[in-house]
Amino acid sequence: MKLGGHSLTDLSASNNVLLSLAEDLVALASQGHSVCVIHGGGPQIDQALLLSGLETEYIDGLRVTTSQSVSIIQTALAGVNAAIVTALNARGIPCVGLRGFDGGQVQASSLGGPWQLVAHDLNVNPSLIETLWGAGYVPVLSPVVMDSEGQMLNCNADELAGATASSLRADALFLLSDVDQLRADVNDANSGLNRVTFDELTEMVEGGSASGGMIPKAKAALVAVSSGATRVIIANAGTKNILMKALL
């Protein structure tokens, strides 16, 4: 599952999103499910860049990342990761915080062009996650990865979630943020879609009706389903116990 940074503007241990997530993880573990959590950190990165005097720019839903900003992004995401891990550990969920480059588990290429140090063409080795699962831990993964030369790259968390779900042959992928669902028209809150097929979602991406931050979500969904995920759920992280409700 991917937990969007916009649902984590409050990083305190009493955050209702984290409390609800802890309840869901307990319930899922009792049913024999293993979960990997991947998180974003958009608001925290924005604030860190602002304090450093750097501008934030997005192109096609991806944050432009320079050699100057990548370390700031990594530091901001480390704070988000620590907040999630400590909150869940305090509620009896044994978690381990990781970066995508830890253990060399995620390698990628730099997208280059106007995006600069943004990761693409992800190659995820699931062995570290599976080892932690075998020991009873929930991996919590920060979306900073590396290329073959050891250069840190900023990775869109949705894209990392899709690639990770693919490598794990996950049964389901959750993309949780501050929006309720996929929309036929991104600007019309009443155009929500309860269900789309693989082909319909592909057409939305190619036809341009998926835009902005929904583009990497849609692409992540297509990658996951192509590799065996039975379903992808895009939902609002603020909905209490959304994981269990969606799996019923």
Side-chain angles (χ1 to χ4, degrees), residues 91-140:
R91 281 158 185 81
I93 313 296
C95 295
V96 174
L98 300 170
R99 288 79 52 91
F101 53 75
D102 285 331
Q105 61 184 314
V106 185
Q107 289 201 348
S109 300
S110 173
L111 189 55
W115 295 276
Q116 301 186 54
L117 297 180
V118 171
H120 84 130
D121 193 22
L122 305 185
N123 180 13
V124 180
N125 181 341
S127 60
L128 180 55
I129 293 172
E130 292 171 335
T131 297
L132 290 169
W133 277 352
Y137 291 99
V138 173
V140 180

